[in-house]
Amino acid sequence: MNNIFETGTTARHGRLLDYLIKSTFELFEKKEIINFSESSSLVYYGNKKELSLCELVNLDDITNTEKFTEDVMGELNIVTPDYMHFKNNKYLINKKETRVAGYPDLIAEVWSDDNSPADRAFKKYLYSTSPVTEQWYIEQDSNTVECYYGQKRIEDKNLADILVSEDGIKFDLRYLKL
């Protein structure tokens, strides 16, 4: 498994990502979920310079998936979430498995000092353009997980507890609580 997923920029960042991935490994092996970590990027429409025009790709709007995957996906802008998975939502992936299109069920970002306020704001806005994507934002120096579903803020989670996503997947990161 370690040869599939890259780790983060700091030891804590890497451990948080590693435990997110390990928590879902059994579901991944059963093909009930597809995980992506920093080795794959999520494509989106728009340009960071005009935030209001940016949005994740809604696959319901794609009529020719083969043409989209071969011709359009490579031209779209990308963002690389620390972790994302698809369980119930559709996705498309390019042949090299480096670009993914669709609305992930869950996206998690582990914030560090390297994430500028502008970068954080952009990612929060972009991810919220999917009405069916749960988002978790974890500060490296905190146990609090800031949570959203689409644009709606939902109850925060805490690393001292087993985290349960809206789609019922459990993540045990208690070992990493501060």
Side-chain angles (χ1 to χ4, degrees), residues 71-133:
D71 299 336
V72 178
M73 244 171 126
E75 301 300 317
L76 294 177
N77 289 310
I78 59 171
V79 64
T80 307
D82 287 327
Y83 170 88
M84 63 179 158
H85 77 241
F86 291 83
K87 179 182 177 193
N88 301 310
N89 298 337
K90 301 183 291 184
Y91 66 94
L92 294 173
I93 189 164
N94 67 348
K95 289 180 183 174
K96 295 180 183 178
E97 297 189 9
T98 56
R99 290 178 177 236
V100 182
Y103 291 161
D105 289 88
L106 176 68
I107 293 177
E109 288 286 354
V110 180
W111 297 137
S112 66
D113 293 339
D114 292 342
N115 296 107
S116 70
D119 182 48
R120 291 177 186 216
F122 171 71
K123 286 182 175 184
K124 280 184 170 183
Y125 175 82
L126 181 64
Y127 301 159
S128 75
T129 64
S130 163
V132 294
T133 298

Side-chain angles (χ1 to χ4, degrees), residues 5-161:
F5 302 103
E6 298 176 11
T7 57
T9 57
T10 67
R12 181 163 168 76
H13 185 274
R15 282 193 306 272
L16 284 163
L17 292 180
D18 192 41
Y19 275 77
L20 280 166
I21 294 163
K22 284 180 181 177
S23 294
T24 59
F25 190 68
E26 185 176 315
L27 294 172
F28 177 77
E29 286 288 301
K30 292 179 184 177
K31 298 184 179 6
E32 294 176 22
I33 190 175
I34 182 79
N35 285 332
F36 297 98
S37 194
E38 294 178 309
S39 57
S40 296
S41 298
L42 190 60
V43 298
Y44 67 92
Y45 296 117
N47 185 314
K48 257 179 145 173
K49 294 177 183 173
E50 294 200 45
L51 190 62
S52 64
L53 300 178
C54 293
E55 64 181 331
L56 294 178
V57 176
N58 181 351
L59 295 185
D60 292 337
D61 297 338
I62 307 300
T63 54
N64 185 335
T65 57
E66 185 176 323
K67 180 172 177 44
F68 178 83
T69 304
E70 290 180 14
D71 299 336
V72 178
M73 244 171 126
E75 301 300 317
L76 294 177
N77 289 310
I78 59 171
V79 64
T80 307
D82 287 327
Y83 170 88
M84 63 179 158
H85 77 241
F86 291 83
K87 179 182 177 193
N88 301 310
N89 298 337
K90 301 183 291 184
Y91 66 94
L92 294 173
I93 189 164
N94 67 348
K95 289 180 183 174
K96 295 180 183 178
E97 297 189 9
T98 56
R99 290 178 177 236
V100 182
Y103 291 161
D105 289 88
L106 176 68
I107 293 177
E109 288 286 354
V110 180
W111 297 137
S112 66
D113 293 339
D114 292 342
N115 296 107
S116 70
D119 182 48
R120 291 177 186 216
F122 171 71
K123 286 182 175 184
K124 280 184 170 183
Y125 175 82
L126 181 64
Y127 301 159
S128 75
T129 64
S130 163
V132 294
T133 298
E134 183 175 2
Q135 306 132 60
W136 292 356
Y137 302 101
I138 306 167
E139 289 286 345
Q140 282 195 55
D141 58 355
S142 171
N143 285 331
T144 301
V145 180
E146 185 180 341
C147 302
Y148 293 83
Y149 192 82
Q151 294 180 354
K152 182 183 176 195
R153 178 87 186 250
I154 57 177
E155 186 177 344
D156 287 349
K157 300 180 185 312
N158 192 297
L159 293 180
D161 303 319

